[in-house]
Amino acid sequence: MKRALLIIAILLLAGLVLRSSVFTVDETQYAIVTTFGKPGAPITEPGFQWKLPAPAQTVLRFDKRLQVFDPRPSENLTLDRKNLVVDSFACWRIADAHRFLVKVGTAAGAENSLAMLVASELSAELGKHELSDLVSVNEDEVKLTEIMDAVTARCRDAALEDYGIEVVDVRIKRINLPYENKEAVYERMRAERDQKAKEYRAAGEEQATIIRAKTESEKRAILSEAYKEAQRIKGEGDAQAIEIQSRAFSQDPEFYKFMRTLSSYEKVLGTNTTMVMSSQAEFLRLLTEFDPADLAAKTSAPTGDKP
């Protein structure tokens, strides 16, 4: 009985020793085995690994996947002395697990070191460029991609050498003005837009004046030509009327005079017309000396071959 218990105890102890001596490394991890606190070579391949039982050796694991670090926005000066608040981010991963463990130890320590490195390199690079290289209405003038590629390259070299970290990319998310400068900038922008609007309005008024003057000149020319044509037509009509009247008068002067007198009566004499004239007036002669037989003779008399 005692022998069986001893065997069971030995097996349990062996199981515990075996359990503390075998560990697994995930494909998304690096592992480092430390012997009494001293790190060994990094384990980069996934699978089962061996070590001495604890506490002689312990296993530290580090995530080898790409990490995204979003530091706090920082203020930077451009070459033309413009103060900007730059919000950036960095993508990084562990390249040398041993150096990473020795220099920074944890992901939080790595991000603290990266924050200082990125801020320093970003400030140095932005100080070489004017604001128009970062923000412009003309896309061809913006050099933001080239600027951030240079920052990424310098951060990558420094981080790999100092911390065992590979900086994959550094990019700017947003560029803004300091809060105390925004209102002054907005006022200047509004003043510039107002000035530009006044220039556009002045140019428009100038063009409108030119167009109105040209239109007025064309109007006068058209009216003058129309008046000239109307007078010509009217003259031709008057000439034809005179010619017709002349022919009619030459054919029968008495009848023509009679018809003209009737036409005058029709125009002058109305329902309530009162006229004071001498009984010997020529205008009243037809009324005072009118003979219906003469009128019948005049209207029925043949005219011969005259038109």
Side-chain angles (χ1 to χ4, degrees):
M1 183 65 180
K2 292 182 179 180
R3 182 179 179 86
L5 292 176
L6 180 62
I7 293 174
I8 292 173
I10 293 174
L11 291 175
L12 289 174
L13 180 62
L16 292 174
V17 171
L18 180 64
R19 181 178 179 182
S20 63
S21 300
V22 177
F23 66 95
T24 60
V25 179
D26 191 84
E27 60 183 5
T28 64
Q29 296 176 333
Y30 294 122
I32 293 180
V33 178
T34 61
T35 303
F36 298 108
K38 182 179 181 180
I43 300 172
T44 59
E45 297 297 326
F48 288 99
Q49 304 291 335
W50 294 90
K51 69 177 185 65
L52 295 177
Q57 289 186 327
T58 57
V59 180
L60 301 177
R61 293 178 172 83
F62 304 97
D63 196 335
K64 66 167 63 174
R65 292 173 294 184
L66 190 67
Q67 308 292 320
V68 178
F69 172 52
D70 191 1
R72 295 181 61 183
S74 60
E75 291 192 17
N76 299 273
L77 285 175
T78 61
L79 183 61
D80 50 351
R81 310 305 297 173
K82 297 295 190 299
N83 193 15
L84 301 176
V85 177
V86 180
D87 191 3
S88 61
F89 70 93
C91 299
W92 65 278
R93 57 176 165 237
I94 300 173
D96 186 339
H98 186 275
R99 182 171 297 179
F100 178 85
L101 175 62
V102 173
K103 296 293 185 178
V104 295
T106 63
E111 291 186 349
N112 289 334
S113 300
L114 281 177
M116 293 185 290
L117 177 62
V118 170
S120 175
E121 296 296 341
L122 191 60
S123 178
E125 186 64 26
L126 292 179
K128 302 176 183 178
H129 298 271
E130 296 184 353
L131 179 61
S132 59
D133 294 337
L134 304 174
V135 180
S136 177
V137 295
N138 188 353
E139 188 175 351
D140 296 335
E141 297 178 359
V142 178
K143 301 179 181 178
L144 191 58
T145 301
E146 292 85 345
I147 293 172
M148 298 316 299
D149 287 344
V151 172
T152 300
R154 289 202 295 271
C155 289
R156 182 183 296 118
D157 295 339
L160 186 61
E161 181 178 355
D162 295 339
Y163 313 123
I165 294 172
E166 178 189 1
V167 176
V168 178
D169 203 4
V170 178
R171 284 291 177 265
I172 291 177
K173 293 193 300 182
R174 183 168 50 250
I175 297 175
N176 210 339
L177 295 170
Y179 179 79
E180 58 272 13
N181 296 348
K182 283 184 180 179
E183 192 60 33
V185 172
Y186 292 156
E187 287 296 332
R188 185 170 68 251
M189 291 173 63
R190 280 192 285 266
E192 292 175 354
R193 295 300 179 270
D194 289 341
Q195 180 64 30
K196 186 63 69 174
K198 291 178 181 178
E199 292 177 4
Y200 287 147
R201 282 194 290 267
E205 287 295 333
E206 181 181 359
Q207 291 296 322
T209 301
I210 294 173
I211 293 172
R212 282 194 291 266
K214 183 179 179 181
T215 303
E216 188 65 26
S217 176
E218 293 177 353
K219 172 186 173 183
R220 287 195 298 266
I222 293 172
L223 291 176
S224 177
E225 187 64 26
Y227 180 77
K228 178 181 177 181
E229 183 67 16
Q231 292 300 313
R232 185 188 64 80
I233 296 173
K234 182 179 179 181
E236 292 179 354
D238 290 343
Q240 291 178 6
I242 293 172
E243 182 183 357
I244 294 172
Q245 290 176 358
S246 177
R247 288 202 306 265
F249 184 75
S250 63
Q251 289 179 7
D252 193 342
E254 289 296 328
F255 182 72
Y256 176 75
K257 184 178 180 180
F258 173 75
M259 296 301 296
R260 289 297 301 269
T261 303
L262 290 180
S263 178
S264 299
Y265 289 163
E266 183 179 1
K267 293 178 180 179
V268 173
L269 300 177
T271 305
N272 297 319
T273 301
T274 301
M275 297 181 65
V276 179
M277 301 180 67
S278 173
S279 60
Q280 303 300 321
E282 181 66 23
F283 186 73
L284 299 177
R285 190 179 64 83
L286 183 60
L287 295 177
T288 58
E289 299 177 3
F290 175 69
D291 187 356
D294 293 340
L295 177 60
K298 290 179 181 296
T299 56
S300 62
T303 58
D305 297 330
K306 294 183 181 181

